Coordinates of all heavy atoms in Angstrom, one line a residue:
N1 N -57.6 -84.8 -20.8 CA -58.2 -84.0 -19.8 C -59.7 -83.7 -20.1 O -60.1 -82.6 -19.9 CB -57.4 -82.7 -19.7 CG -56.1 -82.9 -19.1 OD1 -55.8 -83.9 -18.4 ND2 -55.2 -82.0 -19.4
L2 N -60.4 -84.7 -20.5 CA -61.8 -84.6 -20.8 C -62.6 -84.8 -19.5 O -62.2 -85.5 -18.6 CB -62.3 -85.6 -21.8 CG -61.9 -85.4 -23.2 CD1 -62.3 -86.5 -24.1 CD2 -62.4 -84.1 -23.8
P3 N -63.8 -84.1 -19.4 CA -64.6 -84.4 -18.2 C -65.2 -85.8 -18.4 O -65.1 -86.4 -19.4 CB -65.7 -83.3 -18.3 CG -65.7 -82.8 -19.7 CD -64.3 -83.0 -20.2
P4 N -65.9 -86.3 -17.3 CA -66.4 -87.7 -17.4 C -67.4 -87.8 -18.5 O -68.0 -86.8 -18.9 CB -67.0 -87.9 -16.1 CG -67.1 -86.6 -15.4 CD -66.1 -85.7 -16.1
G5 N -67.6 -88.9 -19.1 CA -68.5 -89.2 -20.1 C -69.7 -90.0 -19.7 O -69.8 -90.4 -18.5
P6 N -70.6 -90.3 -20.6 CA -71.8 -91.1 -20.3 C -71.4 -92.5 -19.9 O -70.3 -93.0 -20.3 CB -72.6 -91.1 -21.6 CG -71.8 -90.6 -22.6 CD -70.6 -89.9 -22.0
P7 N -72.3 -93.2 -19.2 CA -71.9 -94.6 -18.8 C -71.9 -95.6 -19.9 O -71.6 -96.8 -19.6 CB -73.0 -94.9 -17.8 CG -74.1 -94.1 -18.2 CD -73.6 -92.8 -18.8
I8 N -72.2 -95.3 -21.1 CA -72.2 -96.2 -22.2 C -71.2 -95.8 -23.3 O -70.7 -94.7 -23.3 CB -73.6 -96.2 -22.9 CG1 -74.0 -94.8 -23.3 CG2 -74.7 -96.9 -22.0 CD1 -75.3 -94.8 -24.0
Y9 N -70.7 -96.8 -24.0 CA -69.7 -96.5 -25.0 C -70.3 -95.9 -26.3 O -71.4 -96.1 -26.7 CB -69.0 -97.9 -25.4 CG -68.2 -98.4 -24.3 CD1 -68.6 -99.5 -23.6 CD2 -67.0 -97.9 -23.9 CE1 -67.9 -100.0 -22.5 CE2 -66.2 -98.4 -22.9 CZ -66.7 -99.5 -22.2 OH -65.9 -100.0 -21.2
A10 N -69.5 -95.1 -26.9 CA -69.9 -94.5 -28.2 C -69.7 -95.4 -29.3 O -68.7 -96.2 -29.4 CB -69.0 -93.2 -28.4
L11 N -70.6 -95.5 -30.2 CA -70.5 -96.3 -31.4 C -69.6 -95.6 -32.4 O -69.5 -94.4 -32.5 CB -71.9 -96.5 -32.1 CG -72.9 -97.2 -31.2 CD1 -74.3 -97.2 -31.8 CD2 -72.5 -98.6 -30.9
P12 N -68.8 -96.4 -33.2 CA -67.8 -95.8 -34.1 C -68.3 -94.6 -35.0 O -67.6 -93.6 -35.0 CB -67.3 -97.0 -34.9 CG -67.6 -98.1 -34.1 CD -68.8 -97.8 -33.3
L13 N -69.4 -94.8 -35.7 CA -69.8 -93.7 -36.6 C -70.8 -92.8 -36.0 O -70.9 -91.6 -36.4 CB -70.3 -94.3 -37.9 CG -69.3 -94.9 -38.8 CD1 -70.0 -95.6 -40.0 CD2 -68.2 -94.0 -39.2
F14 N -71.6 -93.3 -35.1 CA -72.8 -92.5 -34.6 C -72.5 -91.9 -33.2 O -73.3 -91.0 -32.8 CB -74.0 -93.4 -34.5 CG -74.4 -94.0 -35.8 CD1 -74.2 -95.4 -36.0 CD2 -75.0 -93.3 -36.7 CE1 -74.5 -95.9 -37.2 CE2 -75.4 -93.8 -38.0 CZ -75.1 -95.2 -38.2
G15 N -71.5 -92.3 -32.6 CA -71.2 -91.7 -31.2 C -72.3 -92.1 -30.3 O -72.7 -93.3 -30.2
H16 N -72.8 -91.2 -29.5 CA -73.8 -91.4 -28.6 C -75.2 -91.0 -29.1 O -76.2 -91.1 -28.4 CB -73.6 -90.6 -27.3 CG -72.4 -91.1 -26.6 ND1 -71.2 -90.4 -26.6 CD2 -72.1 -92.2 -25.8 CE1 -70.3 -91.0 -25.9 NE2 -70.8 -92.1 -25.4
L17 N -75.3 -90.7 -30.4 CA -76.6 -90.2 -30.9 C -77.7 -91.2 -30.8 O -78.9 -90.8 -30.5 CB -76.4 -89.8 -32.4 CG -75.7 -88.4 -32.6 CD1 -75.4 -88.2 -34.1 CD2 -76.4 -87.3 -32.0
L18 N -77.4 -92.5 -31.0 CA -78.5 -93.5 -31.0 C -79.0 -93.7 -29.6 O -80.0 -94.3 -29.4 CB -78.0 -94.8 -31.6 CG -77.6 -94.7 -33.1 CD1 -77.1 -96.0 -33.6 CD2 -78.8 -94.2 -33.9
H19 N -78.2 -93.3 -28.6 CA -78.6 -93.6 -27.2 C -79.4 -92.4 -26.6 O -79.8 -92.5 -25.5 CB -77.3 -93.8 -26.3 CG -76.5 -94.9 -26.8 ND1 -76.9 -96.2 -26.6 CD2 -75.3 -95.0 -27.4 CE1 -76.0 -97.0 -27.1 NE2 -75.0 -96.3 -27.6
L20 N -79.5 -91.3 -27.3 CA -80.2 -90.1 -26.8 C -81.7 -90.3 -26.7 O -82.3 -89.7 -25.8 CB -79.9 -88.9 -27.6 CG -78.4 -88.4 -27.5 CD1 -78.2 -87.2 -28.4 CD2 -78.1 -88.0 -26.0
G21 N -82.3 -91.0 -27.6 CA -83.7 -91.3 -27.5 C -84.6 -90.1 -28.0 O -84.1 -89.2 -28.6
K22 N -85.9 -90.1 -27.6 CA -86.8 -89.1 -28.1 C -86.6 -87.7 -27.3 O -86.9 -86.7 -27.9 CB -88.2 -89.5 -27.8 CG -88.7 -90.6 -28.8 CD -90.1 -90.9 -28.6 CE -90.6 -92.0 -29.5 NZ -92.0 -92.3 -29.3
H23 N -86.1 -87.8 -26.1 CA -85.9 -86.6 -25.3 C -84.4 -86.4 -24.9 O -84.0 -86.8 -23.8 CB -86.8 -86.6 -24.1 CG -88.2 -86.8 -24.4 ND1 -89.0 -85.8 -24.9 CD2 -89.1 -87.9 -24.3 CE1 -90.2 -86.2 -25.1 NE2 -90.3 -87.5 -24.7
P24 N -83.6 -85.9 -25.8 CA -82.2 -85.9 -25.6 C -81.8 -85.0 -24.4 O -80.8 -85.4 -23.6 CB -81.6 -85.3 -26.9 CG -82.7 -84.7 -27.6 CD -83.9 -85.4 -27.1
Q25 N -82.5 -84.0 -24.1 CA -82.2 -83.1 -22.9 C -82.3 -83.9 -21.6 O -81.5 -83.8 -20.7 CB -83.0 -81.8 -22.9 CG -84.5 -82.0 -22.6 CD -85.3 -82.4 -23.8 OE1 -84.8 -82.7 -24.9 NE2 -86.6 -82.4 -23.7
E26 N -83.3 -84.8 -21.5 CA -83.5 -85.6 -20.3 C -82.4 -86.7 -20.2 O -81.9 -86.9 -19.1 CB -84.9 -86.3 -20.3 CG -86.0 -85.3 -20.2 CD -87.4 -85.9 -20.3 OE1 -87.4 -87.2 -20.4 OE2 -88.4 -85.2 -20.3
T27 N -82.0 -87.2 -21.3 CA -80.9 -88.2 -21.3 C -79.6 -87.6 -20.9 O -78.9 -88.1 -20.1 CB -80.8 -88.9 -22.7 OG1 -82.1 -89.4 -23.1 CG2 -79.8 -90.0 -22.7
L28 N -79.3 -86.4 -21.4 CA -78.1 -85.7 -21.1 C -78.1 -85.3 -19.6 O -77.1 -85.5 -18.9 CB -77.9 -84.5 -22.0 CG -77.5 -84.8 -23.4 CD1 -77.6 -83.5 -24.2 CD2 -76.2 -85.4 -23.5
M29 N -79.2 -84.9 -19.1 CA -79.3 -84.6 -17.7 C -79.1 -85.8 -16.8 O -78.4 -85.8 -15.8 CB -80.7 -83.9 -17.4 CG -80.7 -83.3 -16.0 SD -82.1 -82.3 -15.5 CE -83.2 -82.3 -16.9
K30 N -79.7 -87.0 -17.2 CA -79.5 -88.2 -16.5 C -78.0 -88.6 -16.5 O -77.5 -89.1 -15.5 CB -80.4 -89.3 -17.1 CG -80.3 -90.6 -16.4 CD -81.3 -91.6 -17.0 CE -80.7 -92.1 -18.3 NZ -81.5 -93.2 -18.9
W31 N -77.4 -88.5 -17.6 CA -75.9 -88.8 -17.7 C -75.1 -87.9 -16.8 O -74.2 -88.4 -16.1 CB -75.4 -88.7 -19.1 CG -75.9 -89.7 -20.1 CD1 -76.6 -90.9 -19.7 CD2 -75.8 -89.8 -21.5 NE1 -76.8 -91.6 -20.9 CE2 -76.4 -90.9 -21.9 CE3 -75.2 -88.9 -22.4 CZ2 -76.4 -91.3 -23.3 CZ3 -75.3 -89.2 -23.7 CH2 -75.9 -90.4 -24.2
C32 N -75.5 -86.6 -16.7 CA -74.8 -85.7 -15.7 C -75.0 -86.2 -14.3 O -74.1 -86.2 -13.5 CB -75.3 -84.3 -15.9 SG -74.7 -83.5 -17.4
Q33 N -76.2 -86.6 -14.0 CA -76.5 -87.0 -12.6 C -75.8 -88.3 -12.3 O -75.3 -88.5 -11.2 CB -78.0 -87.3 -12.4 CG -78.8 -86.0 -12.4 CD -80.3 -86.2 -12.5 OE1 -80.7 -87.3 -12.7 NE2 -81.0 -85.1 -12.3
Q34 N -75.7 -89.2 -13.3 CA -75.0 -90.5 -13.0 C -73.5 -90.3 -12.9 O -72.8 -91.0 -12.1 CB -75.2 -91.5 -14.2 CG -76.6 -92.0 -14.2 CD -76.9 -92.9 -15.4 OE1 -76.1 -92.9 -16.4 NE2 -78.0 -93.6 -15.4
S35 N -72.9 -89.3 -13.6 CA -71.5 -89.1 -13.5 C -71.2 -88.1 -12.3 O -70.0 -87.9 -12.0 CB -70.9 -88.5 -14.8 OG -71.4 -87.2 -15.0
K36 N -72.2 -87.6 -11.6 CA -72.1 -86.7 -10.5 C -71.3 -85.5 -10.9 O -70.4 -85.0 -10.1 CB -71.5 -87.4 -9.3 CG -72.4 -88.5 -8.8 CD -71.8 -89.2 -7.6 CE -72.8 -90.2 -7.1 NZ -72.3 -91.6 -7.1
S37 N -71.5 -84.9 -12.1 CA -70.8 -83.8 -12.6 C -71.7 -82.9 -13.4 O -72.6 -83.4 -14.1 CB -69.6 -84.3 -13.4 OG -68.9 -83.2 -14.0
D38 N -71.5 -81.6 -13.4 CA -72.3 -80.7 -14.2 C -71.7 -80.5 -15.6 O -72.2 -79.8 -16.4 CB -72.4 -79.4 -13.5 CG -73.4 -79.4 -12.4 OD1 -74.3 -80.2 -12.4 OD2 -73.2 -78.6 -11.4
I39 N -70.5 -81.1 -15.8 CA -69.8 -81.0 -17.1 C -69.5 -82.5 -17.6 O -68.9 -83.2 -16.8 CB -68.5 -80.2 -17.1 CG1 -68.7 -78.8 -16.5 CG2 -67.9 -80.2 -18.4 CD1 -67.5 -78.1 -16.3
I40 N -70.0 -82.8 -18.8 CA -69.7 -84.2 -19.3 C -69.3 -84.0 -20.8 O -69.5 -82.9 -21.4 CB -70.9 -85.1 -19.2 CG1 -72.1 -84.7 -20.0 CG2 -71.3 -85.4 -17.8 CD1 -73.2 -85.7 -20.2
H41 N -68.7 -85.0 -21.3 CA -68.4 -85.0 -22.7 C -69.2 -86.2 -23.4 O -69.5 -87.2 -22.7 CB -66.9 -85.2 -23.0 CG -66.4 -86.6 -22.9 ND1 -66.1 -87.2 -21.7 CD2 -66.2 -87.5 -23.9 CE1 -65.7 -88.4 -22.0 NE2 -65.8 -88.7 -23.3
C42 N -69.5 -86.0 -24.6 CA -70.1 -87.1 -25.4 C -69.8 -86.8 -26.9 O -69.3 -85.8 -27.2 CB -71.6 -87.2 -25.1 SG -72.6 -85.8 -25.5
Y43 N -70.2 -87.8 -27.7 CA -69.9 -87.7 -29.1 C -71.2 -87.6 -29.9 O -72.0 -88.5 -29.8 CB -69.0 -88.8 -29.6 CG -67.6 -88.7 -29.2 CD1 -67.2 -89.3 -28.0 CD2 -66.7 -88.0 -29.9 CE1 -65.9 -89.2 -27.6 CE2 -65.4 -87.9 -29.5 CZ -65.0 -88.5 -28.3 OH -63.7 -88.4 -27.9
F44 N -71.4 -86.6 -30.7 CA -72.5 -86.5 -31.6 C -71.9 -86.9 -33.0 O -71.3 -86.0 -33.6 CB -73.2 -85.1 -31.7 CG -73.9 -84.8 -30.4 CD1 -74.5 -83.5 -30.3 CD2 -74.1 -85.7 -29.4 CE1 -75.2 -83.2 -29.2 CE2 -74.8 -85.3 -28.3 CZ -75.4 -84.1 -28.1
G45 N -72.1 -88.1 -33.4 CA -71.4 -88.6 -34.6 C -70.0 -88.7 -34.2 O -69.6 -89.3 -33.2
Q46 N -69.1 -88.1 -35.0 CA -67.6 -88.2 -34.6 C -67.2 -86.9 -34.0 O -66.0 -86.7 -33.7 CB -66.8 -88.5 -35.9 CG -67.1 -89.9 -36.4 CD -66.3 -90.2 -37.6 OE1 -65.7 -89.3 -38.2 NE2 -66.4 -91.4 -38.1
Q47 N -68.1 -86.0 -33.7 CA -67.8 -84.7 -33.1 C -67.9 -84.7 -31.6 O -68.9 -85.1 -31.0 CB -68.8 -83.6 -33.7 CG -68.5 -82.2 -33.2 CD -67.3 -81.6 -33.8 OE1 -67.0 -81.8 -35.0 NE2 -66.6 -80.9 -33.0
L48 N -66.8 -84.3 -31.0 CA -66.8 -84.3 -29.5 C -67.6 -83.1 -29.1 O -67.4 -82.0 -29.6 CB -65.3 -84.1 -29.0 CG -65.1 -83.9 -27.5 CD1 -65.6 -85.1 -26.7 CD2 -63.7 -83.5 -27.2
V49 N -68.5 -83.3 -28.1 CA -69.3 -82.2 -27.5 C -69.1 -82.2 -26.0 O -69.2 -83.2 -25.4 CB -70.8 -82.5 -27.9 CG1 -71.7 -81.4 -27.3 CG2 -71.0 -82.5 -29.4
I50 N -69.0 -81.0 -25.5 CA -68.9 -80.8 -24.0 C -70.3 -80.2 -23.6 O -70.7 -79.2 -24.1 CB -67.8 -79.8 -23.6 CG1 -66.4 -80.3 -24.2 CG2 -67.7 -79.6 -22.1 CD1 -65.9 -81.6 -23.6
V51 N -70.9 -80.9 -22.7 CA -72.2 -80.5 -22.2 C -72.1 -79.9 -20.8 O -71.5 -80.4 -19.9 CB -73.2 -81.8 -22.1 CG1 -74.5 -81.4 -21.6 CG2 -73.3 -82.5 -23.4
L52 N -72.7 -78.6 -20.7 CA -72.7 -77.9 -19.5 C -74.1 -78.0 -18.9 O -75.1 -77.6 -19.6 CB -72.3 -76.5 -19.7 CG -70.9 -76.2 -20.3 CD1 -70.7 -74.7 -20.6 CD2 -69.8 -76.8 -19.5
N53 N -74.3 -78.4 -17.7 CA -75.6 -78.6 -17.1 C -75.8 -77.8 -15.8 O -76.3 -78.3 -14.8 CB -75.8 -80.1 -16.8 CG -77.2 -80.5 -16.4 OD1 -78.1 -79.8 -16.9 ND2 -77.4 -81.4 -15.5
N54 N -75.3 -76.5 -15.9 CA -75.4 -75.7 -14.7 C -75.5 -74.2 -15.2 O -74.6 -73.9 -16.1 CB -74.3 -75.9 -13.8 CG -74.3 -75.1 -12.5 OD1 -74.8 -74.0 -12.5 ND2 -73.8 -75.7 -11.5
Y55 N -76.4 -73.4 -14.8 CA -76.6 -72.1 -15.3 C -75.3 -71.3 -15.1 O -74.9 -70.5 -16.0 CB -77.8 -71.4 -14.6 CG -77.9 -70.0 -15.0 CD1 -78.5 -69.6 -16.3 CD2 -77.5 -68.9 -14.2 CE1 -78.6 -68.3 -16.7 CE2 -77.7 -67.6 -14.6 CZ -78.2 -67.3 -15.8 OH -78.3 -66.0 -16.3
S56 N -74.7 -71.3 -13.9 CA -73.5 -70.5 -13.7 C -72.3 -70.9 -14.6 O -71.6 -70.1 -15.1 CB -73.1 -70.6 -12.2 OG -72.8 -71.9 -11.9
L57 N -72.2 -72.2 -14.9 CA -71.2 -72.7 -15.8 C -71.4 -72.2 -17.2 O -70.5 -71.8 -17.9 CB -71.1 -74.2 -15.8 CG -70.5 -74.9 -14.6 CD1 -70.7 -76.4 -14.7 CD2 -69.1 -74.5 -14.4
I58 N -72.7 -72.2 -17.6 CA -73.0 -71.8 -19.0 C -72.8 -70.3 -19.1 O -72.2 -69.8 -20.1 CB -74.5 -72.1 -19.3 CG1 -74.7 -73.6 -19.4 CG2 -74.9 -71.4 -20.6 CD1 -76.2 -74.0 -19.4
K59 N -73.2 -69.5 -18.1 CA -72.9 -68.1 -18.1 C -71.4 -67.8 -18.2 O -71.0 -66.9 -18.9 CB -73.6 -67.5 -16.9 CG -73.5 -66.0 -16.8 CD -74.3 -65.4 -15.6 CE -74.1 -63.9 -15.6 NZ -74.8 -63.4 -14.4
E60 N -70.7 -68.5 -17.4 CA -69.2 -68.3 -17.3 C -68.6 -68.6 -18.7 O -67.7 -67.9 -19.2 CB -68.6 -69.1 -16.3 CG -67.1 -68.9 -16.1 CD -66.5 -69.8 -15.0 OE1 -67.3 -70.3 -14.1 OE2 -65.3 -70.1 -15.1
A61 N -69.1 -69.7 -19.3 CA -68.5 -70.1 -20.6 C -68.8 -69.0 -21.7 O -68.0 -68.7 -22.6 CB -69.1 -71.4 -21.0
F62 N -70.1 -68.5 -21.7 CA -70.4 -67.5 -22.7 C -69.8 -66.1 -22.5 O -69.7 -65.4 -23.4 CB -71.9 -67.3 -22.8 CG -72.6 -68.4 -23.6 CD1 -73.5 -69.3 -23.0 CD2 -72.3 -68.6 -25.0 CE1 -74.1 -70.3 -23.8 CE2 -72.9 -69.5 -25.7 CZ -73.8 -70.4 -25.1
M63 N -69.3 -65.9 -21.3 CA -68.7 -64.6 -21.0 C -67.2 -64.6 -21.5 O -66.6 -63.6 -21.8 CB -68.7 -64.3 -19.5 CG -70.1 -64.1 -19.0 SD -70.9 -62.7 -19.8 CE -70.5 -61.4 -18.7
D64 N -66.6 -65.8 -21.6 CA -65.3 -66.0 -22.0 C -65.2 -66.1 -23.5 O -65.9 -67.0 -24.1 CB -64.7 -67.3 -21.4 CG -63.2 -67.4 -21.6 OD1 -62.6 -66.6 -22.3 OD2 -62.6 -68.3 -20.9
D65 N -64.4 -65.3 -24.2 CA -64.3 -65.3 -25.7 C -63.7 -66.6 -26.2 O -64.0 -67.0 -27.4 CB -63.5 -64.2 -26.1 CG -64.2 -62.8 -26.0 OD1 -65.4 -62.8 -25.9 OD2 -63.5 -61.8 -25.9
N66 N -63.0 -67.4 -25.4 CA -62.4 -68.6 -25.9 C -63.5 -69.7 -26.1 O -63.3 -70.6 -26.9 CB -61.4 -69.2 -24.9 CG -60.2 -68.3 -24.8 OD1 -59.7 -67.8 -25.8 ND2 -59.7 -68.2 -23.6
Y67 N -64.6 -69.6 -25.5 CA -65.7 -70.6 -25.6 C -66.9 -70.2 -26.4 O -67.9 -70.9 -26.4 CB -66.1 -71.1 -24.2 CG -65.0 -71.6 -23.4 CD1 -64.5 -70.9 -22.3 CD2 -64.3 -72.8 -23.7 CE1 -63.4 -71.4 -21.6 CE2 -63.3 -73.3 -23.0 CZ -62.8 -72.6 -21.9 OH -61.8 -73.0 -21.2
S68 N -66.9 -69.0 -26.9 CA -68.1 -68.4 -27.6 C -68.2 -68.8 -29.0 O -69.2 -68.4 -29.7 CB -68.1 -66.9 -27.4 OG -67.1 -66.3 -28.1
A69 N -67.3 -69.4 -29.6 CA -67.3 -69.8 -31.1 C -68.1 -71.1 -31.3 O -68.1 -72.0 -30.5 CB -65.9 -69.9 -31.7
R70 N -68.8 -71.1 -32.4 CA -69.5 -72.4 -32.8 C -68.6 -73.2 -33.8 O -67.8 -72.6 -34.6 CB -70.8 -72.1 -33.5 CG -71.8 -71.6 -32.6 CD -73.1 -71.5 -33.3 NE -74.2 -71.3 -32.4 CZ -75.4 -71.5 -32.7 NH1 -75.8 -72.0 -33.9 NH2 -76.4 -71.3 -31.8
A71 N -68.7 -74.4 -33.8 CA -68.0 -75.3 -34.7 C -68.6 -75.1 -36.1 O -69.8 -75.0 -36.3 CB -68.1 -76.7 -34.3
Q72 N -67.8 -75.1 -37.1 CA -68.3 -75.0 -38.5 C -68.6 -76.4 -39.0 O -67.8 -77.3 -38.8 CB -67.2 -74.4 -39.4 CG -67.0 -72.9 -39.1 CD -68.2 -72.1 -39.4 OE1 -68.9 -72.3 -40.4 NE2 -68.4 -71.1 -38.6
P73 N -69.7 -76.6 -39.7 CA -70.0 -77.9 -40.3 C -68.9 -78.3 -41.3 O -68.3 -77.4 -42.0 CB -71.3 -77.6 -41.0 CG -71.9 -76.4 -40.4 CD -70.8 -75.6 -39.9
F74 N -68.8 -79.6 -41.5 CA -67.7 -80.1 -42.4 C -67.8 -79.6 -43.8 O -66.8 -79.3 -44.4 CB -67.8 -81.6 -42.4 CG -66.9 -82.3 -43.4 CD1 -65.5 -82.3 -43.1 CD2 -67.4 -82.8 -44.5 CE1 -64.7 -83.0 -44.0 CE2 -66.5 -83.4 -45.4 CZ -65.2 -83.5 -45.2
I75 N -69.0 -79.4 -44.3 CA -69.2 -79.0 -45.7 C -68.7 -77.6 -45.9 O -68.1 -77.3 -47.0 CB -70.7 -79.1 -46.1 CG1 -70.8 -79.0 -47.6 CG2 -71.5 -78.1 -45.5 CD1 -71.9 -79.8 -48.2
F76 N -68.8 -76.7 -44.9 CA -68.2 -75.3 -45.0 C -66.7 -75.3 -45.1 O -66.1 -74.6 -45.8 CB -68.7 -74.4 -43.9 CG -70.2 -74.1 -44.0 CD1 -71.0 -74.3 -43.0 CD2 -70.7 -73.5 -45.2 CE1 -72.4 -74.0 -43.1 CE2 -72.0 -73.1 -45.3 CZ -72.8 -73.4 -44.2
E77 N -66.1 -76.2 -44.3 CA -64.7 -76.3 -44.3 C -64.1 -76.8 -45.6 O -63.0 -76.4 -46.0 CB -64.2 -77.2 -43.2 CG -64.5 -76.7 -41.8 CD -64.1 -77.7 -40.7 OE1 -63.4 -78.7 -41.0 OE2 -64.4 -77.5 -39.5
E78 N -64.8 -77.7 -46.3 CA -64.4 -78.2 -47.5 C -64.6 -77.3 -48.7 O -63.7 -77.3 -49.6 CB -65.1 -79.5 -47.8 CG -64.6 -80.7 -47.0 CD -63.2 -81.1 -47.3 OE1 -62.8 -81.2 -48.4 OE2 -62.4 -81.3 -46.3
H79 N -65.7 -76.5 -48.7 CA -66.0 -75.8 -49.9 C -65.8 -74.3 -49.8 O -65.8 -73.6 -50.8 CB -67.5 -76.0 -50.3 CG -67.7 -77.5 -50.6 ND1 -67.3 -78.0 -51.8 CD2 -68.4 -78.5 -50.0 CE1 -67.6 -79.3 -51.9 NE2 -68.3 -79.6 -50.8
F80 N -65.6 -73.7 -48.6 CA -65.4 -72.3 -48.5 C -64.1 -71.9 -47.9 O -63.7 -72.3 -46.9 CB -66.6 -71.7 -47.8 CG -67.9 -71.9 -48.4 CD1 -68.8 -72.7 -47.9 CD2 -68.2 -71.2 -49.6 CE1 -70.1 -72.9 -48.5 CE2 -69.4 -71.4 -50.2 CZ -70.3 -72.3 -49.6

């Protein structure tokens, strides 16, 4: 049940990171326009990321406690 993703495939270890270029915010916005959706998924490395490209969606997500947590880096999970 993932939202649509970018039009290119994710690389096994890098995900979509190598495709973002010098201006990742512009690339993510272009991917949203190509998929005709304000919500897309992509992979930063092996981490799944959901991208919200609409102010009302971002505001709604931050108001909900289920979506307000940040992911912990791998090193913190291993050592603490």
Side-chain angles (χ1 to χ4, degrees):
N1 291 337
L2 288 175
I8 54 177
Y9 291 105
L11 299 173
L13 293 176
F14 301 106
H16 294 103
L17 286 175
L18 298 178
H19 301 289
L20 289 175
K22 289 185 180 181
H23 303 286
Q25 68 277 10
E26 293 175 5
T27 304
L28 290 169
M29 192 173 357
K30 183 175 74 172
W31 289 349
C32 286
Q33 290 171 349
Q34 289 175 348
S35 67
K36 298 181 178 122
S37 176
D38 287 330
I39 304 173
I40 63 168
H41 81 277
C42 60
Y43 287 93
F44 290 176
Q46 295 179 349
Q47 183 70 39
L48 173 66
V49 177
I50 304 296
V51 178
L52 304 176
N53 191 31
N54 183 326
Y55 177 76
S56 61
L57 289 173
I58 295 169
K59 185 176 177 182
E60 182 180 338
F62 279 118
M63 297 299 270
D64 190 351
D65 289 336
N66 292 324
Y67 302 110
S68 63
R70 285 185 169 203
Q72 292 294 323
F74 173 74
I75 195 148
F76 287 125
E77 292 177 10
E78 286 295 314
H79 296 289
F80 298 110

